[in-house]
Amino acid sequence: MFRLNPAPKPKHRRIKPKRGDLTRITDKVRKEVERRSKGRCERCGCTRAKHWFEHAHLINASQLGSGGEPWNIAKLCGPRTATGTCHQFADDTATGREWCMDYRFELIAYYTDGAGSEIWPYDGPSERK
């Protein structure tokens, strides 16, 4: 009577990347941030965090801050959920957000004119569509 005739499944991948793919911190950037920070928190300079260190987006991932650019990632004391840590300060306070933007401009200068230009040249803001 009726025959099963399913539609063929598409054989291509997703064309538009998901937000998590755009904001994920890459291994290459993680290694560069570790080299740049020398095992210290980039805000307070401590070598032993109260809990642990975390890599934080200076432009938040929710605002599509890239994880593939070392001038957008900082190594901070964590966790983000604990009150009094540098990561919590950077994400949850107005002065912390100002610090993030100021530090991001310092990092862009480091990768443009400073010693970081030989390691990872700054090529301007990334274009996303």
Side-chain angles (χ1 to χ4, degrees):
M1 186 180 227
F2 295 105
R3 291 193 305 163
L4 181 63
N5 190 12
K9 301 294 181 202
K11 302 228 187 273
H12 58 82
R13 291 191 202 178
R14 181 181 182 90
I15 295 172
K16 186 174 182 180
K18 294 181 178 181
R19 181 179 68 179
D21 296 333
L22 295 173
T23 61
R24 182 175 294 116
I25 301 173
T26 63
D27 289 336
K28 189 175 176 183
V29 168
R30 196 175 296 273
K31 288 177 186 173
E32 169 57 18
V33 171
E34 289 294 327
R35 184 205 62 78
R36 182 183 73 212
S37 68
K38 299 178 180 139
R40 296 177 172 268
C41 173
E42 292 185 271
R43 180 176 169 258
C44 68
C46 70
T47 55
R48 290 184 52 131
K50 186 176 179 182
H51 299 283
W52 57 78
F53 289 111
E54 293 180 334
H55 291 95
H57 287 79
L58 297 176
I59 295 178
N60 287 333
S62 62
Q63 303 299 313
L64 290 180
S66 175
E69 301 167 337
W71 48 87
N72 191 45
I73 306 297
K75 184 176 182 177
L76 300 176
C77 306
R80 188 223 167 285
T81 55
T83 304
T85 63
C86 293
H87 196 168
Q88 185 269 335
F89 166 81
D91 283 353
D92 293 345
T93 64
T95 54
R97 287 187 290 278
E98 287 178 26
W99 176 85
C100 284
M101 289 299 103
D102 293 343
Y103 190 61
R104 186 170 189 274
F105 289 129
E106 287 178 30
L107 290 177
I108 289 173
Y110 172 76
Y111 288 107
T112 304
D113 302 325
S117 63
E118 298 171 7
I119 298 162
W120 195 305
Y122 176 74
D123 55 356
S126 63
E127 294 294 322
R128 288 198 195 93
K129 295 179 180 168

Short mmCIF file of all heavy atoms in Angstrom, two decimals, residues 2 5 10 22 27 30 40 43-44 49 75-76 83 99 102 109 119 121:
data_model
loop_
_atom_site.label_atom_id
_atom_site.label_comp_id
_atom_site.label_asym_id
_atom_site.label_seq_id
_atom_site.Cartn_x
_atom_site.Cartn_y
_atom_site.Cartn_z
N PHE A 2 1.43 1.69 1.16
CA PHE A 2 2.35 2.83 1.22
C PHE A 2 3.76 2.31 1.42
O PHE A 2 3.99 1.45 2.25
CB PHE A 2 1.99 3.77 2.38
CG PHE A 2 0.67 4.44 2.23
CD1 PHE A 2 -0.43 4.05 2.97
CD2 PHE A 2 0.52 5.48 1.32
CE1 PHE A 2 -1.64 4.67 2.84
CE2 PHE A 2 -0.69 6.12 1.18
CZ PHE A 2 -1.78 5.71 1.93
N ASN A 5 9.59 5.98 2.02
CA ASN A 5 10.48 6.69 1.12
C ASN A 5 11.02 7.93 1.84
O ASN A 5 10.58 9.04 1.59
CB ASN A 5 9.73 7.08 -0.16
CG ASN A 5 10.67 7.62 -1.21
OD1 ASN A 5 11.87 7.50 -1.08
ND2 ASN A 5 10.11 8.21 -2.25
N PRO A 10 21.02 15.67 4.38
CA PRO A 10 22.06 16.51 3.74
C PRO A 10 23.45 16.02 4.11
O PRO A 10 23.68 15.54 5.21
CB PRO A 10 21.79 17.90 4.30
CG PRO A 10 20.98 17.70 5.52
CD PRO A 10 20.24 16.41 5.35
N LEU A 22 32.88 30.54 17.96
CA LEU A 22 33.53 31.82 17.78
C LEU A 22 34.24 32.30 19.04
O LEU A 22 35.26 32.97 18.97
CB LEU A 22 32.52 32.88 17.35
CG LEU A 22 31.85 32.69 16.00
CD1 LEU A 22 30.77 33.74 15.82
CD2 LEU A 22 32.87 32.79 14.89
N ASP A 27 43.69 26.50 21.81
CA ASP A 27 44.90 26.03 22.49
C ASP A 27 46.09 26.95 22.21
O ASP A 27 46.91 27.20 23.08
CB ASP A 27 45.23 24.60 22.06
CG ASP A 27 44.25 23.58 22.60
OD1 ASP A 27 43.61 23.87 23.64
OD2 ASP A 27 44.12 22.51 22.00
N ARG A 30 45.67 29.96 24.37
CA ARG A 30 45.90 29.57 25.76
C ARG A 30 47.40 29.50 26.05
O ARG A 30 47.87 30.00 27.08
CB ARG A 30 45.22 28.22 26.00
CG ARG A 30 45.04 27.84 27.44
CD ARG A 30 44.25 26.55 27.56
NE ARG A 30 42.90 26.68 27.04
CZ ARG A 30 41.86 27.11 27.74
NH1 ARG A 30 42.03 27.47 29.01
NH2 ARG A 30 40.66 27.18 27.21
N ARG A 40 51.37 34.10 36.42
CA ARG A 40 50.82 35.06 37.39
C ARG A 40 49.43 35.53 36.94
O ARG A 40 49.11 35.49 35.77
CB ARG A 40 51.71 36.29 37.50
CG ARG A 40 53.08 36.01 38.03
CD ARG A 40 53.92 37.27 38.04
NE ARG A 40 55.17 37.05 38.73
CZ ARG A 40 55.35 37.28 40.01
NH1 ARG A 40 54.38 37.76 40.75
NH2 ARG A 40 56.51 37.04 40.57
N ARG A 43 46.08 40.68 36.71
CA ARG A 43 45.55 41.87 37.38
C ARG A 43 46.30 42.15 38.68
O ARG A 43 46.83 43.22 38.88
CB ARG A 43 44.06 41.71 37.66
CG ARG A 43 43.49 42.93 38.37
CD ARG A 43 42.01 42.86 38.59
NE ARG A 43 41.62 43.93 39.48
CZ ARG A 43 41.36 43.78 40.77
NH1 ARG A 43 41.41 42.59 41.33
NH2 ARG A 43 41.03 44.81 41.51
N CYS A 44 46.34 41.16 39.58
CA CYS A 44 46.96 41.41 40.89
C CYS A 44 48.40 40.92 40.98
O CYS A 44 49.12 41.30 41.89
CB CYS A 44 46.12 40.78 42.00
SG CYS A 44 46.11 38.97 41.99
N ALA A 49 46.88 31.45 43.24
CA ALA A 49 45.50 31.91 43.36
C ALA A 49 44.85 31.26 44.58
O ALA A 49 45.25 30.17 45.01
CB ALA A 49 44.71 31.55 42.11
N LYS A 75 44.73 36.05 31.94
CA LYS A 75 44.79 35.02 32.98
C LYS A 75 44.51 35.71 34.31
O LYS A 75 45.26 36.60 34.73
CB LYS A 75 46.16 34.36 32.99
CG LYS A 75 46.28 33.24 33.98
CD LYS A 75 47.62 32.57 33.86
CE LYS A 75 47.71 31.40 34.83
NZ LYS A 75 48.98 30.70 34.68
N LEU A 76 43.41 35.31 34.97
CA LEU A 76 42.99 35.95 36.21
C LEU A 76 42.75 34.92 37.30
O LEU A 76 42.51 33.74 37.02
CB LEU A 76 41.69 36.74 35.99
CG LEU A 76 41.73 37.86 34.95
CD1 LEU A 76 40.35 38.47 34.80
CD2 LEU A 76 42.75 38.91 35.35
N THR A 83 33.32 35.50 45.29
CA THR A 83 33.45 36.93 45.55
C THR A 83 34.88 37.26 45.94
O THR A 83 35.50 36.56 46.72
CB THR A 83 32.49 37.34 46.69
OG1 THR A 83 31.18 36.96 46.33
CG2 THR A 83 32.53 38.83 46.94
N TRP A 99 38.66 48.26 33.70
CA TRP A 99 39.99 47.67 33.73
C TRP A 99 40.18 46.75 32.53
O TRP A 99 41.25 46.75 31.90
CB TRP A 99 40.22 46.89 35.03
CG TRP A 99 41.55 46.21 35.04
CD1 TRP A 99 42.74 46.74 35.40
CD2 TRP A 99 41.82 44.87 34.61
NE1 TRP A 99 43.74 45.81 35.23
CE2 TRP A 99 43.20 44.66 34.76
CE3 TRP A 99 41.03 43.83 34.14
CZ2 TRP A 99 43.80 43.45 34.43
CZ3 TRP A 99 41.63 42.63 33.80
CH2 TRP A 99 43.01 42.44 33.95
N ASP A 102 40.82 48.88 29.43
CA ASP A 102 42.15 49.49 29.51
C ASP A 102 43.25 48.44 29.27
O ASP A 102 44.20 48.68 28.53
CB ASP A 102 42.37 50.16 30.87
CG ASP A 102 41.48 51.37 31.07
OD1 ASP A 102 40.94 51.89 30.07
OD2 ASP A 102 41.31 51.79 32.24
N ALA A 109 48.48 47.26 22.16
CA ALA A 109 49.74 47.98 21.97
C ALA A 109 50.93 47.02 22.07
O ALA A 109 51.89 47.12 21.29
CB ALA A 109 49.87 49.09 23.00
N ILE A 119 55.85 37.73 18.21
CA ILE A 119 55.28 36.44 18.56
C ILE A 119 53.92 36.23 17.91
O ILE A 119 53.64 35.20 17.33
CB ILE A 119 55.18 36.31 20.09
CG1 ILE A 119 56.57 36.40 20.68
CG2 ILE A 119 54.49 35.03 20.49
CD1 ILE A 119 56.60 36.71 22.13
N PRO A 121 51.53 38.82 15.69
CA PRO A 121 51.25 40.17 15.17
C PRO A 121 49.76 40.50 15.21
O PRO A 121 48.92 39.67 14.86
CB PRO A 121 51.78 40.13 13.74
CG PRO A 121 51.92 38.71 13.40
CD PRO A 121 52.06 37.94 14.67
#
